[in-house]
Amino acid sequence: MLLLGIDIGTSSVKVSVVDAATQKALASAQYPDEESPIKALHPGWAEQSPSMWWEQFQKALWLCHARGEYNPQDIAAIGIAYQMHGLVLVDKDQNVLRDSIIWCDSRAVEIGDKAFAAIGEEFCLSHLLNSPGNFTASKLAWVKENEPETYTKIDKIMLPGDYIAMKLTGEITTSVSALSEGVFFDFKTNSISKEIVEYFGFDEALFPVINPVFSSHGTLQASIATKLGLKTSIPVTYKSGDQPNNALSLNVLNPGEVAATAGTSGVIYGVSDQLAYDQQSRINTFAHVNYADEQKRLGVLLCINGTGSLYRWVKNTFGTGYSYNQMNAEAEKAPLGSEGLQVLPFGNGAERMLNNKQIGAHFQHIDLNLHTPAHIFRAVQEGIASSFRYGFDIMRSNGMNPTVIRAGKSNLFLSDLFTQTFVNATGVPVELYNNDGSVGAALGAGIGAGIFKSATEAFSNIQAIKLIEPTTDAFEPVYQDWKLLLEAKLKA
């Protein structure tokens, strides 16, 4: 029995077909090979076309089929992971009304800040666990205010994964986890927030049917099944934002467990059983994939927008002709501290952990007679690791104190230098796993379809491939100097 996992990322779409018996991927593919474009019509804006995601998914799936490792007719359930917080709008005929305003778009910050003040900061934090900030609700309010003709045509609002599920099944659903990541959900009333709806003037009819994360979100339409080489009526039994899904794929489901990723954005994601929140909303709390009113499971999320996105920019700007592996090898040639070169990796929209400020990316203290590409590559990795440490200290101040962090061996965690720097910066060991979001989504589908009796069974074969422990405290002075630079920029 096979499971199909789909991961709708910012840079690409990845697909995996997993054998439920072994929990191993028989085939995986992503499309495109290079990073997908992000449209920036104005400074601080970021949009992508939902139809691009749909086309990329189909191409990735056919690349998997072409491997010849499985019979597509044996796929029994589909799971979807997706980039969080994006806004997708469709009319009554399920036509997309505009490009998606994605997670790193900053246009709605002021709208969210006004809502935070008007609704009441204490109310928002205790009921929504977040400021409306720059999340999906505020993005919808921006459309209502600035594109009224589009707004009046909306039949349903969705997140990116809901759109892919709609294309597969013809049905539109959401979940408590999805509503919470859009800051539409009231954790005290366990329902869509009346205060958010009334303040922004939204019609509750815009929200799809609410289903559990692990449940049927529709079945594959016959016409789509034929197009994809699959059998008809396969159920979509799991949908989750990429960070909760990454945590699931690392079997991070219980209070105190913590996962990390360093892809386009960088995230540390810890599970709590408390309705807790940061007073400044610098870290955010959403319903985890296994959240239930009777058993609270919350995901506490630190997000850094400019991690892999910065490394990609550096590759395109300074690393022409280098592969990422070659960049990582070059970085190891430069000494700790990059001989004074410092990098602030904040050039990809408003940063929540910096109170939604946009200070931009900075390269500081460049010595034209000294610094080489090796210094640049290392300084970028050190700057990203320092930003993780800065945010992790905020998490610690809010009661999240893990003894180990789990991460997939992918993206920046493919770099031994970055991984060790991350560990030395945070002071917390990292367990590395061979996993990715598309495999996690496939196993999530198996849980939702009842193929696995529990998440414990679904991840029974997962084993850490390596444990990386702190080796030195020599990075601490480097971090403290970096922190002084950041604080100076924040005051400027």
Side-chain angles (χ1 to χ4, degrees):
M1 188 175 293
L2 306 182
L3 305 167
L4 172 61
I6 307 165
D7 187 5
I8 309 298
T10 311
S11 299
S12 64
V13 173
K14 187 167 185 180
V15 168
S16 289
V17 175
V18 173
D19 184 341
T22 64
Q23 298 144 39
K24 303 296 184 184
L26 299 178
S28 296
Q30 71 177 43
Y31 190 90
D33 291 330
E34 298 296 322
E35 287 88 349
S36 299
I38 295 175
K39 300 176 185 177
L41 302 179
H42 300 281
W45 287 27
E47 300 182 359
Q48 287 185 324
S49 167
S51 63
M52 178 185 74
W53 305 329
W54 177 241
E55 291 300 320
Q56 289 176 349
F57 153 64
Q58 294 177 77
K59 289 176 179 177
L61 179 62
W62 279 105
L63 286 173
C64 273
H65 288 348
R67 306 279 165 83
E69 299 291 336
Y70 60 88
N71 181 352
Q73 297 299 303
D74 291 337
I75 292 173
I78 300 171
I80 302 170
Y82 57 87
Q83 49 171 291
M84 297 173 73
H85 315 305
L87 176 67
V88 180
L89 308 173
V90 296
D91 64 17
K92 59 183 178 57
D93 297 317
Q94 298 187 350
N95 296 311
V96 174
L97 293 170
R98 68 173 331 280
D99 282 342
S100 174
I101 303 174
I102 66 171
W103 59 278
C104 55
D105 186 288
S106 302
R107 75 187 72 183
V109 169
E110 186 177 352
I111 290 172
D113 288 346
K114 287 180 179 177
F116 193 35
I119 296 172
E121 294 184 9
E122 185 56 36
F123 180 91
C124 287
L125 292 174
S126 61
H127 284 251
L128 309 174
L129 307 185
N130 302 286
S131 161
N134 195 37
F135 295 109
T136 318
S138 299
K139 291 168 182 171
L140 178 60
W142 184 92
V143 173
K144 183 173 183 282
E145 181 179 322
N146 293 276
E147 299 176 355
E149 290 185 6
T150 297
Y151 184 84
T152 58
K153 297 175 184 176
I154 300 172
D155 180 62
K156 289 290 181 287
I157 63 170
M158 291 181 286
L159 295 162
D162 302 326
Y163 167 78
I164 297 299
M166 180 200 78
K167 293 292 289 184
L168 291 168
T169 70
E171 298 184 34
I172 304 175
T173 68
T174 189
S175 67
V176 168
S177 183
L179 289 169
S180 73
E181 75 170 79
V183 191
F184 292 112
F185 190 74
D186 188 320
F187 286 91
K188 291 289 184 69
T189 64
N190 208 40
S191 64
I192 291 172
S193 170
K194 178 175 64 114
E195 285 72 19
I196 285 287
V197 167
E198 289 182 355
Y199 174 79
F200 286 129
F202 298 151
D203 185 342
E204 277 204 46
L206 297 178
F207 296 99
V209 172
I210 304 172
N211 287 346
V213 169
F214 299 104
S215 69
S216 178
H217 297 277
T219 57
L220 192 60
Q221 302 176 86
S223 60
I224 300 299
T226 299
K227 190 174 184 180
L228 300 178
L230 303 175
K231 66 184 179 184
T232 191
S233 298
I234 302 172
V236 174
T237 53
Y238 170 81
K239 286 190 302 181
S240 170
D242 52 8
Q243 298 309 326
N245 176 74
N246 179 68
L248 171 76
S249 67
L250 292 164
N251 201 19
V252 170
L253 294 166
N254 298 309
E257 296 175 340
V258 175
T261 57
T264 302
S265 63
V267 169
I268 299 177
Y269 184 99
V271 179
S272 172
D273 57 1
Q274 303 296 315
L275 295 180
Y277 50 86
D278 177 56
Q279 285 288 345
Q280 298 180 50
S281 205
R282 295 166 299 174
I283 58 176
N284 302 105
T285 305
F286 309 116
H288 195 26
V289 293
N290 57 342
Y291 175 90
D293 190 39
E294 65 277 7
Q295 180 175 280
K296 302 290 193 293
R297 291 293 181 267
L298 290 305
V300 181
L301 186 152
L302 160 76
C303 181
I304 304 154
N305 292 356
T307 52
S309 57
L310 173 62
Y311 213 42
R312 169 190 52 78
W313 182 86
V314 168
K315 181 179 185 295
N316 293 340
T317 306
F318 301 106
T320 304
Y322 289 89
S323 69
Y324 284 116
N325 286 338
Q326 289 170 331
M327 288 171 63
N328 295 337
E330 282 294 306
E332 293 186 8
K333 297 177 182 178
L336 174 69
S338 306
E339 296 192 281
L341 180 59
Q342 295 175 305
V343 176
L344 299 180
F346 303 120
N348 192 26
E351 294 283 353
R352 293 177 227 156
M353 77 171 184
L354 304 181
N355 300 104
N356 277 330
K357 290 184 178 178
Q358 298 184 64
I359 65 169
H362 295 266
F363 288 69
Q364 200 82 2
H365 307 304
I366 296 174
D367 186 325
L368 301 178
N369 299 312
L370 173 65
H371 291 134
T372 66
H375 291 91
I376 292 172
F377 302 154
R378 179 164 190 141
V380 168
Q381 293 196 16
E382 291 180 337
I384 292 168
S386 293
S387 66
F388 271 110
R389 161 67 185 278
Y390 186 85
F392 192 51
D393 283 350
I394 297 172
M395 296 186 79
R396 284 185 172 118
S397 71
N398 281 272
M400 189 66 65
N401 291 290
T403 57
V404 67
I405 296 173
R406 299 175 193 170
K409 190 170 176 60
S410 60
N411 300 311
L412 279 167
F413 283 108
L414 288 168
S415 165
D416 292 339
L417 173 65
F418 173 79
T419 305
Q420 190 65 64
T421 304
F422 175 96
V423 169
N424 290 342
T426 61
V428 180
V430 164
E431 285 181 348
L432 285 179
Y433 292 79
N434 274 330
N435 88 304
D436 67 37
S438 60
V439 172
L443 295 173
I447 298 169
I451 294 166
F452 302 117
K453 295 176 183 177
S454 66
T456 301
E457 181 182 343
F459 295 94
S460 58
N461 289 334
I462 284 191
Q463 299 290 330
I465 57 174
K466 192 174 184 181
L467 175 68
I468 298 90
E469 305 228 35
T471 57
T472 176
D473 58 4
F475 190 75
E476 187 64 19
V478 176
Y479 169 70
Q480 292 299 334
D481 286 345
W482 179 93
K483 185 180 176 183
L484 288 173
L485 174 62
L486 172 62
E487 290 172 343
K489 297 298 181 183
L490 290 171
K491 291 175 183 176

